[in-house]
Amino acid sequence: MKRLGKVLLIMSILISSIVINLNPVALADQDKTWDKIKERGELRVGLSADYAPMEFERNVKGKTEYAGVDIDLAKKIAKDNHLKLKIVNMSFDSLLGALKTGKIDIIISGMTTTPERKKEVDFSDSYMKTKNVMVVKKDDLNKYKEIKDFNNKKISAQKGTDQEKIAQNEIENASITSLSRLPDVILALKSGKVEGAVVEKPVAEAYLKQNPKLDISKAKFNDEEKDTVIAVPKNSPELLANVNKSIKDVKDKGLIDKYLTHAAQDMEDNGNFFTKYGTFFLKGIKVTVLISLIGVALGSILGAVVALMKLSRFKILSWIATIYIEVLRGTPMLVQVFIVFFGITAALGLDISALICGTIALVINSSAYIAEIIRAGINAVDKGQMEASRSLGLSYSQTMKTVIMPQAIKNILPALGNEFVTLIKESSIVSTIGVSEIMFNAQVVQGNSFDPFTPLLVAAALYFVLTFVLTRIMAVIEGRLSASD
Ligand code: ARG
């Protein structure tokens, strides 16, 4: 009992020190933001590339390219300051967190000034002004004449955006569906889940071009025109000054209009769905298979260690293993992914890519499940065998290695195959931090094609083919194994 107390004490000290370290304000040396950027020689711009004409992805001869007003602006800022540009694409509602934990240096993502955000970050001068509109189905155009006609109705908006706030503030009793990505906001409307979608005007116009059944409602919001700005971390005066210098130049030379024309050209469509977007899906398959494979492989090694710890005669080891397994199985994978992604950078001050963070999260998560699979596999081997081989003079570890494990592995293999199948599907969660696996690329295609539905069908088909083929292969292997009995 005393020992358990000690273990718990040490664990809680460890956890609280991690939590303290996670506090980005305590950690980030924000006066040094600009020095760090200069030293790196690279400006990392965060955005959510689902927002034509501001930022979107397009396919140029099978390769993805970012395009839009914000991209041109980012290029200009980088060039003006002799920096390389790195675009970091993630969901809009993750951007502020990424900025505060130092994953990105600035946000250029069609962001509007709001008092809440002002508390968290600093804003540049304005480079554009926009208004919000309500997008509805063309058939409903005459049904809604004023905003109050939307009272008590279902409305969609992008999560974490000002549009979400406006829907809350201006429409009485609206039930609001907040979705992370703009294509989903439009899809909700198209598929009749909501009656209207609150969208910024230029963006609404871009989407209307590809969705002829939708239109902008005559109903007008009270909310006045708002400034679109760049967000920088608090207390980084030099960075802010340099950003503002480029913005001033852009305004003096009237470049925003040029950027808008450029964006409109880039939005033009050519070729069919598969010639245009096939490469996105192929790339996605590669990444999904890769991270799931690493997930089971490394997860098995880590899982084996945890399983042996849990079976160990040393109580402390088995407690630690139990806690590890229970915590990982008792918390959502989505939360684990975010903790690894934002936690590692903040706690250790390392800059690790989303791909690696996502893979680490998959390995850790699967190791907990695999540990239980392995433990059950070992336990399923008849107890008498341990006693028999020990009495024949084999040591504990010799018995484990030569007698128990070979039989356990046979028990374990089919369950490991299932874990692989599960991981292929679950790995879609790392799309939230920007790992370009199948789901992420499907979302990219949604944004590029302004078609919210087809990319989802393709993604579903790809996951199905992968898991189906894998299950067949596993069945064959299992058949062979049982034949060898
Ligand atoms: N202007 C809105 C806001 O700041 C929405 C911006 C969304 N941007 C994006 N790239 N999806 O809240």
Side-chain angles (χ1 to χ4, degrees), residues 57 63 65-66 76 80 97 122 185 220 235 243 275 298 312 361 377 383 421 427 442 445 467:
E57 284 183 284
K63 273 179 59 199
E65 236 174 45
Y66 293 103
K76 164 135 179 76
D80 287 351
D122 280 342
V185 172
K220 296 256 178 311
N235 308 319
V243 166
T275 55
L298 298 188
S312 159
K383 289 260 175 337
V421 169
S427 65
V445 176
T467 56

Side-chain angles (χ1 to χ4, degrees), residues 69 72 253-265:
V69 174
D72 285 346
K253 294 187 180 143
L255 290 179
I256 292 290
D257 282 338
K258 278 208 188 120
Y259 293 170
L260 276 166
T261 322
H262 185 195
Q265 284 161 2

Side-chain angles (χ1 to χ4, degrees), residues 356-369:
I356 295 182
C357 288
T359 314
I360 292 177
L362 284 183
V363 169
I364 294 178
N365 180 276
S366 70
S367 74
Y369 290 90

